[in-house]
Amino acid sequence: MSTTQSERLRELLEPLVSSQGLDLEEIAVDSVGRKRVLRVVVDSDTGADLDRIADVSRALSAKLDETDAMGEGEYTLEVGTPGAERALTEHRHYVRATDRLVKFQLHEGGELVARILDVDDDGLDVEVPGVKGRKATSRRLAFADIDRARVQVEFNRKDKKDMKEEEEA
């Protein structure tokens, strides 16, 4: 039997989120002054656009209204996605971050910034960008070697389509 409110909410809401084709990534209940805020983070392999977020938000709101899961007091429901610099904590997060630049905190100490090339059950193949004219190098990371990983925002990265167009020009 669940003991915390977040665990009870997860048990109640996860099947509903899954039925919408999304993964329930996170639930948090925070107090803001006298009001409470229920934050629900959802995602999928193909992402979640505003229409999907609105649909799941309406479904969650209706489910919460028909139960006493949030108690009697007022609360605000916020439904969103993990954001650009998401932490990678599950296998599916690494798969979704394929081709993205990630900052890894390694178990043996130190950090590594590399692009995820491939993910399997044991770990990932990454490409470490070259520095000062050096070529990029490939490396294998086991999941056990990773303490933390977070996607990095790249403002000037060209996507594969742009690079192909430049090569053809």
Side-chain angles (χ1 to χ4, degrees), residues 4-6 8-9 27-40 64-65 67-78:
T4 68
Q5 183 180 27
S6 291
R8 289 190 302 274
L9 286 167
I27 289 181
V29 181
D30 299 312
S31 294
V32 179
R34 294 182 184 190
K35 293 186 179 181
R36 293 173 299 145
V37 177
L38 170 59
R39 290 185 176 88
V40 178
L64 290 165
D65 286 348
T67 69
D68 67 346
M70 287 299 293
E72 295 295 319
E74 254 185 72
Y75 69 92
T76 301
L77 173 63
E78 294 180 1

Side-chain angles (χ1 to χ4, degrees), residues 5-118:
Q5 183 180 27
S6 291
E7 289 172 340
R8 289 190 302 274
L9 286 167
R10 180 172 286 279
E11 287 177 7
L12 176 70
L13 302 179
E14 193 159 30
L16 188 57
V17 171
S18 295
S19 74
Q20 301 278 328
L22 297 167
D23 295 317
L24 179 58
E25 297 292 351
E26 187 179 322
I27 289 181
V29 181
D30 299 312
S31 294
V32 179
R34 294 182 184 190
K35 293 186 179 181
R36 293 173 299 145
V37 177
L38 170 59
R39 290 185 176 88
V40 178
V41 178
V42 298
D43 201 7
S44 78
D45 290 343
T46 57
D49 63 20
L50 289 177
D51 291 333
R52 289 179 81 184
I53 297 293
D55 290 344
V56 77
S57 181
R58 282 190 288 274
L60 294 178
S61 181
K63 185 69 164 181
L64 290 165
D65 286 348
E66 70 185 37
T67 69
D68 67 346
M70 287 299 293
E72 295 295 319
E74 254 185 72
Y75 69 92
T76 301
L77 173 63
E78 294 180 1
V79 180
T81 58
E85 291 186 345
R86 75 168 307 152
L88 306 178
T89 58
E90 303 282 338
H91 184 271
R92 68 178 177 266
H93 299 163
Y94 288 95
V95 172
R96 291 174 186 162
T98 299
D99 294 326
R100 301 286 307 272
L101 197 63
V102 176
K103 184 177 190 177
F104 298 95
Q105 297 294 324
L106 302 178
H107 184 64
E108 295 296 323
E111 63 183 39
L112 173 71
V113 177
R115 188 169 311 284
I116 296 177
L117 300 175
D118 191 38

